[in-house]
Structure formats: C-alpha cells, structure tokens
Amino acid sequence: MATYHNKKFVSVPVHDADSPIFFTCIQEGVIVRATYTGEEIQCGRFVGMLNQHGELHFTYHHVNTKNELRSGEGRLFPERLSDGSLKLSGSWQGMNGWAMESMLCYSQTARKLKTSV
C-alpha cells in the first residue's frame, strides 16, 4: 500500500489554462490529510481515507484567488513508478454541481515531473 506521510506532490495541468497545485501530506493509519496551494488557490485542505486497495477517497475545500470558497470530493489511485516515486491519478468533483474533472499528480521525486517545485 502507498505511504503518503511527509510526501509532497504536484499536479500536472490537465488543461492549457490550468496551473500546478502543490500538496503536502500527512498520514496517520488509513487517514491522509493534506494542505495545498497553487497559482489560483490561496489556501486548501483535504482529508481522506485509504481503502484496502490503496485508493484514496477524499473531500476538499479551498479559497481561490477570487476569495471564493470551493469544496468537493474525489478519488486518487496510486501507482509506484520504477524510480520509487508515486503517480496518483483519479478524479474530483465540486459539490456545487461542477463537472467531474480528471487529476494527475506525481511525488516531487518523480523524474517525469516537468514542473519546477
């Protein structure tokens, strides 16, 4: 099972207008908490639980640069890469009826990461 404790991740922009999001995780048993920020996010938090397959089910909330509060839920599926780093793929959806969006993150040690952190 993937371990998230003290790991840092960065999202890979899915759309041209997207900017990376930077996550710092803490894990206590099956509970994973994270803080996150990005070019359009002032302050964000998520909390989730790992299931028996290592999938992370989470809820999130953040304040964007327009001072709007956003929240939702999502799922991430871990994959261990050959260099030992983690790739997380999955999706999230806002609670205000926003469409489901895909998400891809790499631990900061991943060689495939093209975004400077």
Side-chain angles (χ1 to χ4, degrees), residues 3-99:
T3 301
Y4 298 90
H5 191 64
N6 289 330
K7 291 255 179 19
K8 295 182 181 210
F9 293 88
V10 62
S11 69
V12 175
V14 177
H15 307 288
D16 289 339
D18 289 348
S19 60
I21 300 171
F22 301 91
F23 299 86
T24 301
C25 297
I26 300 291
Q27 182 175 345
E28 297 167 332
V30 297
I31 298 170
V32 178
R33 301 179 279 129
T35 58
Y36 62 94
T37 188
E39 188 176 304
E40 298 177 18
I41 298 172
Q42 295 184 58
C43 176
R45 305 275 188 272
F46 84 66
V47 63
M49 290 184 60
L50 296 169
N51 69 14
Q52 65 272 19
H53 305 291
E55 299 167 1
L56 179 61
H57 300 253
F58 65 92
T59 59
Y60 70 88
H61 58 275
H62 66 253
V63 176
N64 65 22
T65 54
K66 297 176 185 174
N67 289 324
E68 299 168 326
L69 182 62
R70 298 289 187 230
S71 60
E73 60 184 3
R75 286 183 151 180
L76 290 171
F77 306 93
E79 177 186 343
R80 178 83 49 198
L81 301 177
S82 60
D83 66 359
S85 61
L86 284 176
K87 172 184 172 183
L88 303 175
S89 57
S91 60
W92 58 271
Q93 183 170 10
M95 290 190 177
N96 294 338
W98 303 320

